[in-house]
């Protein structure tokens, strides 16, 4: 996997820094690989938020955690990663947290993220944060549809395997979550040498682009 050389910015600018400088340092997309889990959170019968959990690839983890082992014990504790998690989460606002939620076909707006945290799982950095809805919504029998993806395909998101990939907290009785996988398989790299896959092609993509959605999994929540 291509990886960027460190940029002359504060270490904790994670995805924002990578998005700003790594694109010029490599000739293929994606540059970051994330295995995602999501929990839809309910309270008093209403959908109130989404808790994202992202596990980053080992190469990117190594890049972004340089210098954070302050006690020099060879391990990264949640306390040592706390500042990284908080700043990373805040910086993701300009990318819409790569998270889209619709209820009954209507897109929902998120407020400021809460409860950012991070820990290590073997060689992978795992980051989690809660995205509260600006306005809690009564789902009723409407379907809630959640997608986590990068429209520019700089970051490749894929949902974890297993029952804990999509879970519910406090949901009304009978609600159930399922994960539908994309029909288009994610390429290992979208090489700049491939037809139409030049670096200029990817640099022209914006948050309004639809390129990355073809690789997006979807979490569907239905209630009786």
């Amino acid at each position: 996997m291509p990886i960027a050389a460190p940029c002359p910015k504060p270490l904790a600018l994670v995805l924002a820094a990578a998005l700003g400088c790594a694109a010029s340092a490599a000739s293929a997309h994606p540059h970051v690989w994330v295995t995602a889990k999501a929990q839809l959170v309910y309270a008093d019968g209403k959908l109130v938020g989404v808790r994202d959990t992202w596990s980053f690839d080992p190469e990117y983890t190594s890049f972004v955690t340089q210098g954070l082992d302050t006690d020099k014990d060879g391990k990264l504790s949640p306390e040592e990663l706390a500042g990284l998690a908080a700043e990373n989460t805040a910086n993701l606002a300009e990318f819409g947290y790569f998270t889209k939620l619709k209820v009954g076909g209507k897109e929902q707006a998120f407020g400021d993220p809460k409860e950012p945290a991070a820990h290590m799982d073997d060689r992978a950095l795992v980051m989690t944060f809660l995205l509260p809805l600006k306005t809690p919504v009564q789902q009723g029998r409407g379907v809630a549809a959640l997608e986590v993806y990068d429209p520019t395909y700089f970051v490749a998101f894929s949902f974890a395997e297993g029952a804990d990939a999509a879970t519910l907290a406090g949901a009304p009785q009978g609600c159930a979550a399922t994960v539908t996988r994309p029909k288009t398989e994610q390429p290992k790299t979208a090489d700049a040498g491939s037809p139409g896959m030049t670096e200029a092609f990817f640099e022209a993509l914006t948050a309004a682009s639809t390129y990355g959605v073809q690789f997006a999994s979807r979490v569907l929540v239905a209630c009786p």
Side-chain angles (χ1 to χ4, degrees), residues 15-110:
L15 287 177
L19 285 163
C21 68
S24 62
S27 59
H29 278 59
H31 298 276
V32 182
W33 300 81
V34 174
T35 301
K37 297 180 181 180
Q39 182 180 69
L40 281 77
V41 182
Y42 294 76
D44 299 323
K46 293 183 178 181
L47 180 55
V48 298
V50 174
R51 187 179 302 278
D52 280 315
T53 300
W54 299 348
S55 178
F56 293 88
D57 65 81
E59 290 85 357
Y60 187 73
T61 294
S62 178
F63 166 68
V64 80
T65 58
Q66 295 175 63
L68 296 185
D69 182 16
T70 54
D71 61 10
K72 310 300 181 184
D73 67 349
K75 301 177 182 179
L76 289 167
S77 68
E79 291 75 22
E80 289 171 320
L81 295 170
L84 179 69
E87 191 163 1
N88 290 349
T89 302
N91 288 333
L92 290 171
E94 64 178 292
F95 309 113
Y97 308 98
F98 299 121
T99 303
K100 293 185 181 295
L101 175 68
K102 292 183 179 180
V103 178
K106 183 179 180 180
E107 187 164 348
Q108 304 299 307
F110 295 113

